[in-house]
Amino acid sequence: MAKAASVQARPEPAAPPPAAAPEVPAQLAENMERIEALTQRLAAALSRRPMHDPGVEAPGADLVVNAGLAWAKLWSEQPARIVEQQVKYWGETLAHYAGMQQQLTRGKLTAPEDAEAETDKRFRNPLWQSHPYFNLVKTQYQINARAMREAAQNLDMLDPVDQHRLNWLTNQIIDMFAPTNFLATNPDAIERALETEGESLVKGLANLVRDVETHGGEMIVSLADRNAFAVGENIGTAPGRVVRQERLYELIQYSPSTEQVHAVPIVLFPPWINKFYILDLKPENSLIRWIVDQGYTLFVVSWKNPDASFAETGLADYVSAYLSVMDAVEEITSEPKLNAVGYCIGGTTLSLTLALMAQRGDDRVNSATFFTTLTDFDEQGEFTPFLQDDFVEGIAAEVARTGIFAAHLMTRTMSFLRANDLVWGPAIRSYLMGEAPPAFDLLYWNGDATNLPGKMTTDYLRGLCQQNLLVGEGYPMLGHQLKLSDIQLPLCAIGCETDHIAPWKHSWRGVAQMGSKDKRFILSESGHIAGIVNPPSKKKYGHYTNDGDFLGGPEAWLDSARFAAGSWWPVWEEWLREKSGEMVAARSPEAGFSAAPGEYVHETP
């Protein structure tokens, strides 16, 4: 009994202490807190996104209905064709999966050769070819993309414009769903996340939040570091002064760099869709500085960045501003003649101005130069999806409500003309890789967008782009019907070979219809910007010239053209020199207003 009592009195062994919770690495804990805070900021920023008219967000229902009708017609008339498409798609898909499974059972992937991957920079990572998972994803994406394109192209829609738009939208969807756009199917992003212990994803989320906050709730990716440049400090620094300031524009006269200048001054009208300093980014590629260095008195217009108070400002107001600028140049220089230059829509409006002046008997313009300018809109090219009634009516409703076509809407439209380069590629680098935007002056300028006045926007879209009145019955303005054939003065036009905004063949056709007997066309290599901002010192892009007439069409013109290496600037200046008069003492800008680049260039939407 005593022994039993002794046993019973033995104390219970102490319970082991509770296992300690695994310690969360300090970096991970910090990242989780940052992600939570950033997510809250993102939700708040997205909630501020303004509401737009549905017509500017997507094509109208008519396109969907017409596509459905075309499919129903194809199904009723050629069912075997649709079945063939489906069998082909599923056959490729099943063969792909079966081939991949067979490879994996052997323990080694021998991926098929992929010519597409060699040319598609999205799939440069070797893992797209060597890793079973990524190769499976990439190949299936390519099969899906081909099937979607073929399905859209084979609908045989009655309206070729609808077919063009359907093909374009199909390609947009294909690009949007590329596996590179998603973290789980992007080997570069996964590798970067592992290397940085998730820091790249936190930085990517921070970049996304920054962009949404910067653009008022819109998801527009920043293409350049906005803190790397300051206009007037390290870009747009050519010396000069604002010599006139009006409600719609500032007129800048640049300081001479030579003791003598040509008597006839130059006035340059840039587009107001972006800002003029694209022509003065850096001293070494500044067309503005180069013109001044050749011995010319140069005036450049800096347009106002409009707000809702400019809602009723139309194309006629811009033409009136051109005439006002010419009055100011004549007053400042005491010269009865000037040479005018127009860039992009600045050139389109210059053509309207010149036609008006011709009908009024105003011969102040000695010669005109057009940089990448469209005046004949019979062919709408890559803008076809945006220039149909549903989008134009949507834009008209939007500007009627807000007074302006907002800068971010224009930026979005232009970006999706080159979606992989201007939307998805930058988004991958910024949001998935966590990279900071590059310090690139051209991309900085591209993001420095402007609003457009409401009435001007609809004037341009309806009267010029859709109705093509400048070529047809005449554009009605200030009591006149303006036509390209009215333009009789000497002119020179520069197109750019790979320009997707103002395709050179379309530009050439507009020049061909102008009434001048003294006209020439120069074709620069490269695109809308790089083809124009092409200084002789770089020796980067060449150009084509042709002394022949404009009777055979743009293809015939190019076939008989001469190619020369280097910039077109000296060729143009040689042509311009003959129309610029004798040499006189250099003119310095008058005092009274701010120094170049002025005040309007700093205004933001």
Side-chain angles (χ1 to χ4, degrees):
M1 291 292 295
K3 185 178 181 180
S6 174
V7 170
Q8 290 176 355
R10 185 179 298 167
E12 294 287 335
E23 184 177 348
V24 178
Q27 182 64 48
L28 179 59
E30 180 183 345
N31 285 344
M32 294 298 293
E33 292 180 4
R34 291 165 63 191
I35 288 174
E36 182 178 359
L38 288 168
T39 302
Q40 293 175 356
R41 283 175 55 192
L42 179 62
L46 289 172
S47 69
R48 294 194 293 271
R49 183 180 187 272
M51 296 298 293
H52 301 299
D53 187 275
V56 301
E57 301 285 6
D62 287 351
L63 180 63
V64 178
V65 171
N66 291 342
L69 292 174
W71 185 88
K73 182 175 182 291
L74 182 64
W75 178 254
S76 64
E77 295 179 355
Q78 303 179 57
R81 191 173 173 185
I82 292 181
V83 172
E84 181 183 355
Q85 290 175 359
Q86 292 295 312
V87 169
K88 178 182 177 183
Y89 169 71
W90 286 111
E92 288 185 8
T93 298
L94 292 174
H96 169 223
Y97 277 93
M100 180 65 69
Q101 187 176 27
Q102 188 178 42
Q103 292 284 341
L104 293 177
T105 58
R106 296 173 180 171
K108 184 178 181 181
L109 171 67
T110 305
E113 292 187 9
D114 184 2
E116 286 186 54
E118 293 180 3
T119 58
D120 192 336
K121 61 185 179 181
R122 295 175 297 180
F123 300 117
R124 285 177 178 169
N125 191 312
L127 288 175
W128 288 114
Q129 193 70 2
S130 63
H131 193 283
Y133 169 69
F134 292 114
N135 186 266
L136 176 74
V137 169
K138 179 204 68 175
T139 305
Q140 189 59 47
Y141 168 73
Q142 292 169 338
I143 292 172
N144 295 345
R146 284 195 297 271
M148 291 176 67
R149 289 193 181 98
E150 290 174 6
Q153 292 166 359
N154 290 336
L155 276 184
D156 296 331
M157 296 179 73
L158 295 178
D159 187 344
V161 172
D162 279 348
Q163 185 69 61
H164 181 111
R165 300 182 83 198
L166 181 65
N167 293 342
W168 183 84
L169 286 167
T170 300
N171 285 324
Q172 293 295 319
I173 293 171
I174 290 170
D175 290 341
M176 180 172 62
F177 285 104
T180 46
N181 295 342
F182 304 92
L183 174 62
T185 51
N186 187 319
D188 295 298
I190 293 173
E191 288 177 336
R192 180 67 60 83
L194 293 174
E195 291 169 0
T196 62
E197 298 183 351
E199 180 69 14
S200 61
L201 300 180
V202 179
K203 288 182 177 178
L205 181 57
N207 290 342
L208 173 61
V209 172
R210 175 205 63 214
D211 287 346
V212 175
E213 289 178 340
T214 299
H215 295 100
E218 299 282 353
M219 195 175 296
I220 298 176
V221 61
S222 292
L223 300 179
D225 182 355
R226 303 305 299 174
N227 298 317
F229 301 98
V231 180
E233 295 181 15
N234 57 358
I235 53 176
T237 59
R241 294 200 66 83
V242 174
V243 291
R244 292 290 187 276
Q245 187 180 73
E246 303 292 342
R247 185 169 184 263
L248 197 55
Y249 70 86
E250 287 181 326
L251 180 62
I252 301 170
Q253 180 182 350
Y254 284 91
S255 301
S257 60
T258 57
E259 292 184 0
Q260 290 190 313
V261 295
H262 291 277
V264 179
I266 299 172
V267 59
L268 196 157
F269 297 97
W272 49 89
I273 291 175
N274 286 101
K275 296 180 180 178
F276 80 91
Y277 65 86
I278 184 59
L279 301 173
D280 185 35
L281 287 177
K282 293 178 290 194
E284 57 267 29
N285 67 357
S286 170
L287 178 59
I288 286 174
R289 288 178 182 264
W290 187 86
I291 291 173
V292 171
D293 287 344
Q294 307 315 301
Y296 292 91
T297 301
L298 176 64
F299 295 84
V300 176
V301 174
S302 175
W303 297 105
K304 179 76 173 179
N305 194 346
D307 56 24
S309 67
F310 287 79
E312 294 304 314
T313 299
L315 270 179
D317 296 290
Y318 279 90
V319 168
S320 297
Y322 276 48
L323 297 173
S324 170
V325 165
M326 293 180 190
D327 290 341
V329 171
E330 182 177 0
E331 178 185 341
I332 292 169
T333 64
S334 300
E335 285 290 333
K337 295 283 188 177
L338 59 85
N339 291 315
V341 182
Y343 189 177
C344 191
I345 193 175
T348 306
T349 309
L350 177 60
S351 68
L352 287 165
T353 307
L354 295 175
L356 176 66
M357 295 173 74
Q359 292 193 21
R360 288 179 170 180
D362 186 340
D363 63 354
R364 282 180 290 174
V365 178
N366 208 39
S367 75
T369 302
F370 300 95
F371 295 166
T372 61
T373 293
L374 290 179
T375 50
D376 182 352
F377 294 85
D378 184 54
E379 297 182 45
Q380 298 170 345
E382 294 192 35
F383 283 93
T384 298
F386 302 108
L387 293 178
Q388 306 316 306
D389 287 339
D390 51 359
F391 267 118
V392 172
E393 291 303 319
I395 291 171
E398 177 73 10
V399 300
R401 183 175 63 86
T402 64
I404 56 172
F405 189 48
H408 67 267
L409 292 176
M410 175 59 71
T411 298
R412 186 178 68 182
T413 300
M414 302 297 283
S415 295
F416 276 97
L417 293 176
R418 290 289 184 272
N420 283 328
D421 293 331
L422 297 177
V423 180
W424 306 121
I428 290 168
R429 292 189 292 273
S430 186
Y431 307 151
L432 295 186
M433 306 294 289
E435 297 176 2
F440 188 8
D441 54 1
L442 177 59
L443 292 179
Y444 175 91
W445 167 85
N446 188 74
D448 193 7
T450 60
N451 299 323
L452 301 180
K455 187 175 188 305
M456 187 287 303
T457 303
T458 54
D459 286 348
Y460 178 75
L461 292 176
R462 287 174 171 161
L464 292 175
C465 296
Q466 286 193 309
Q467 300 175 43
N468 203 19
L469 294 177
L470 194 53
V471 169
E473 62 192 57
Y475 192 98
M477 182 178 288
L478 301 174
H480 296 264
Q481 296 290 120
L482 308 179
K483 298 183 179 182
L484 288 180
S485 57
D486 295 327
I487 301 173
Q488 304 286 335
L489 48 76
L491 60 91
C492 179
I494 293 87
C496 295
E497 194 172 20
T498 58
D499 192 337
H500 66 286
I501 295 175
W504 79 268
K505 293 180 182 179
H506 303 179
S507 178
W508 187 97
R509 291 189 180 100
V511 174
Q513 296 178 75
M514 294 181 183
S516 174
K517 295 179 181 179
D518 178 5
K519 57 188 176 185
R520 67 180 308 180
F521 192 87
I522 301 172
L523 178 62
S524 174
E525 290 185 312
S526 196
H528 192 71
I529 301 300
I532 296 299
V533 183
N534 181 25
S537 60
K538 296 291 185 181
K539 299 180 181 179
K540 192 170 184 180
Y541 301 116
H543 61 278
Y544 299 85
T545 57
N546 190 329
D547 297 329
D549 56 35
F550 284 77
L551 299 178
E555 294 84 0
W557 181 93
L558 183 58
D559 288 342
S560 59
R562 299 179 303 277
F563 177 78
S567 174
W568 56 269
W569 292 7
V571 178
W572 170 62
E573 193 275 328
E574 183 180 355
W575 174 87
L576 187 67
R577 193 186 313 150
E578 299 174 355
K579 296 153 180 68
S580 300
E582 62 184 7
M583 303 302 290
V584 300
R587 309 176 179 102
S588 295
E590 60 190 34
F593 294 93
S594 62
E599 299 175 9
Y600 287 177
V601 74
H602 297 293
E603 295 177 338
T604 56

